[in-house]
Amino acid sequence: MAGLIIESVMPGSIAEEMEIEPGDRLISVNGNLLRDVIDYNYFTSEDLLILEVEKPDGELWELEVERDEGEPLGLTFPAPAPARCGNKCVFCFVHQLPKGLRKPLYVKDEDYRLSFLYGNYVTLANIKKGDLARIKEQRLSPLYISVHATDPEVREELLVKKGILPILEVMRELAEARIVMHTQVVLCPGLNDGAIFARTVEDLAAMYPAVASLAVVPVGLTGHRAKLPTLRPVDREFAEGFVAEWEVKAQDLAKKLGEPFLFLADEFYLKARRPFPPLESYGDLPQIENGVGMIPLFLSQAEEVLQDAEHLGQGRVTVVTGESPYRYLAAFLDRLSETTGISALPVAVRNRLFGGGVTVTGLVSGRDILEALQGVELGEEVLVPDVMIKEGEGMFLDDITVEDLERDLGKPVRVVESTPYGIYLALEEIFGR
């Protein structure tokens, strides 16, 4: 059915003055039927609007709106239901999930609209001509594209899908329409590394600045890969060799293009136990949501916090984290404790839920936290990084809530921003009264 159900109306807005209410359906704007919130944003860019609204009882209203430039209508809508992914990627993380998690976690989305709206990565393996036309017409930019390999045969092998339109053809068409693209490669040793990866980097760099960045992240393997293809993990030896080779090549490429382009995920440096490049080498951090530059940013912010931190008295808190960033967090908390007088104990949580080599903070479960904290002197509160929690629900991946954790630990649990600032602010709130 055409049109969008209105989720909320901003108080004092144009929409409220016109008696538009939550539950109404906005059918069209200036005669253009609405398919999703992207259409709404695109067609409401003009100052003079004709809105067709359907009330819950079926009554149709036609409303004329004349507004000042940039003045919002005041309507919000639910996020579009994602289009499902038709790929069977050999490294797909969803296929490796254990049973018993929240149902939405098992949904594989492949939706260019969510790429534009939220920065979700898509392969564009299921893209249709009409979708491409819409992307170009409505200038849906930037997009975030999972390339994995520009070699067509290798890409089909990785995505386990035949007859895919060559990704470079699609991307060149988007580039001609001035669509900016951020790209990623999930590196699978023996499949898309070596010469295949070198070709991918070369092909994508040749499309700069339309292709604005390329992140390479190591394949993530859980302990739940029964009946799935055997993949070689990125171990310390592989990571050491990869970083040694490609850190230099990334620097050379940055000099050639005029700014950083190729980014190695933090996980490579963590696995290789090599020092991170300076924060400046990450540019404006275009791939930070992809786990690129998070530790260097943390280290930079840590120095700023330590310069401004003040003595807060005496006390104790526990800070939980994943295993990967533990040594960096521990070093910061040790120095922060000296300055503030507050003993902040870091605890690395072993990921038993996913198993395998999963060590990142964002995939830690509530039950694993409970197990890790058994017998630990917790202090006044337990600080939990916000990346462990589903936004707006206060819930971990395994449906354990913050309240459940508080009950079982017998201590207040505080969700904090996953930065040095977030931790120090929590200490101020707890002990700086």
Side-chain angles (χ1 to χ4, degrees):
M1 182 182 294
L4 306 176
I5 298 296
I6 295 167
E7 185 173 62
S8 65
V9 179
M10 184 187 304
S13 65
I14 293 173
E16 185 182 59
E17 292 176 3
M18 304 194 78
E19 300 182 3
I20 298 176
E21 299 175 314
D24 293 349
R25 181 186 296 274
L26 180 59
I27 297 176
S28 68
V29 175
N30 290 346
N32 299 288
L33 296 178
L34 303 183
R35 295 163 290 185
D36 50 41
V37 69
I38 294 176
D39 274 350
Y40 169 77
N41 292 331
Y42 183 73
F43 292 119
T44 57
S45 60
E46 300 177 17
D47 297 331
L48 181 60
L49 305 172
I50 303 297
L51 310 180
E52 185 180 8
V53 176
E54 182 182 23
K55 290 296 200 177
D57 63 2
E59 182 180 3
L60 294 177
W61 288 10
E62 186 174 278
L63 304 172
E64 182 174 330
V65 177
E66 187 171 359
R67 57 181 177 163
D68 296 333
E69 183 177 355
E71 185 179 6
L73 289 177
L75 298 177
T76 62
F77 306 91
R84 300 300 176 91
C85 179
N87 307 327
K88 296 181 180 179
C89 300
V90 295
F91 50 79
C92 178
F93 199 79
V94 174
H95 293 167
Q96 305 178 67
L97 295 179
K99 296 180 180 179
L101 304 182
R102 296 192 305 269
K103 288 183 179 180
L105 295 175
Y106 299 98
V107 175
K108 298 193 304 175
D109 67 84
E110 170 72 15
D111 197 323
Y112 68 90
R113 301 173 303 168
L114 303 187
S115 181
F116 169 68
L117 290 170
Y118 307 119
N120 294 11
Y121 273 92
V122 291
T123 66
L124 298 182
N126 307 303
I127 199 77
K128 298 179 176 61
K129 289 184 178 180
D131 298 329
L132 278 173
R134 183 189 184 189
I135 290 171
K136 293 187 290 184
E137 177 188 356
Q138 296 187 343
R139 294 293 307 280
L140 304 186
S141 178
L143 292 179
Y144 295 79
I145 302 174
S146 292
V147 176
H148 305 317
T150 53
D151 181 291
E153 292 184 5
V154 174
R155 193 163 193 263
E156 289 188 350
E157 181 183 355
L158 291 166
L159 272 56
V160 193
K161 189 178 180 69
K162 295 294 185 181
I164 302 172
L165 191 64
I167 189 62
L168 288 177
E169 290 185 17
V170 177
M171 294 178 67
R172 285 171 184 144
E173 186 173 341
L174 295 174
E176 289 176 1
R178 295 184 296 168
I179 304 298
V180 174
M181 293 163 278
H182 295 281
T183 60
Q184 74 164 354
V185 166
V186 174
L187 200 71
C188 302
L191 293 180
N192 63 341
D193 59 336
I196 296 297
F197 179 69
R199 174 181 168 182
T200 299
V201 173
E202 181 180 357
D203 288 341
L204 296 178
M207 297 177 65
Y208 177 85
V211 176
S213 69
L214 167 59
V216 52
V217 300
V219 61
L221 304 177
T222 77
H224 304 273
R225 290 193 58 83
K227 300 180 181 180
L228 293 175
T230 300
L231 294 178
R232 176 185 165 191
V234 173
D235 56 18
R236 180 173 180 177
E237 181 181 1
F238 182 93
E240 285 177 340
F242 186 80
V243 172
E245 177 182 3
W246 283 98
E247 183 179 65
V248 175
K249 290 183 177 180
Q251 293 169 356
D252 293 341
L253 197 54
K255 293 177 182 177
K256 177 182 177 181
L257 299 178
E259 64 179 333
F261 174 81
L262 173 62
F263 302 94
L264 279 57
D266 292 2
E267 196 69 17
F268 280 110
Y269 289 93
L270 292 170
K271 288 180 179 294
R273 300 199 175 184
R274 288 175 61 102
F276 284 89
L279 183 61
E280 308 84 69
S281 66
Y282 291 87
D284 59 357
L285 296 166
Q287 294 274 1
I288 192 164
E289 297 297 330
N290 211 2
V292 179
M294 297 183 75
I295 298 294
L297 180 62
F298 183 95
L299 296 175
S300 176
Q301 292 179 344
E303 293 302 320
E304 295 174 0
V305 169
L306 290 167
Q307 287 179 8
D308 297 335
E310 299 178 353
H311 186 76
L312 298 174
Q314 291 184 330
R316 182 183 181 89
V317 297
T318 298
V319 185
V320 295
T321 183
E323 292 179 298
S324 291
Y326 172 78
R327 64 180 182 273
Y328 299 99
L329 175 65
F332 165 66
L333 292 182
D334 185 57
R335 295 171 64 191
L336 186 65
S337 296
E338 290 181 5
T339 302
T340 62
I342 307 301
S343 176
L345 173 70
V347 174
V349 180
R350 183 179 180 186
N351 199 319
R352 301 179 186 276
L353 175 65
F354 290 102
V358 178
T359 58
V360 297
T361 301
L363 294 177
V364 168
S365 71
R367 289 182 179 85
D368 284 343
I369 292 175
L370 287 172
E371 183 167 343
L373 295 184
Q374 292 300 312
V376 175
E377 184 182 343
L378 300 177
E380 279 79 355
E381 293 193 14
V382 175
L383 308 187
V384 172
D386 55 5
V387 294
M388 294 182 178
I389 304 294
K390 179 173 174 58
E391 186 176 356
E393 295 188 10
M395 188 179 295
F396 295 88
L397 287 170
D398 55 355
D399 286 350
I400 295 291
T401 66
V402 172
E403 290 75 19
D404 293 334
L405 209 61
E406 288 183 323
R407 182 193 64 239
D408 293 344
L409 293 175
K411 292 287 183 178
V413 173
R414 183 182 297 254
V415 179
V416 302
E417 184 181 296
S418 308
T419 66
Y421 292 104
I423 295 170
Y424 180 64
L425 178 61
L427 297 185
E428 281 190 321
E429 292 175 348
I430 298 169
F431 300 102
R433 302 183 182 95

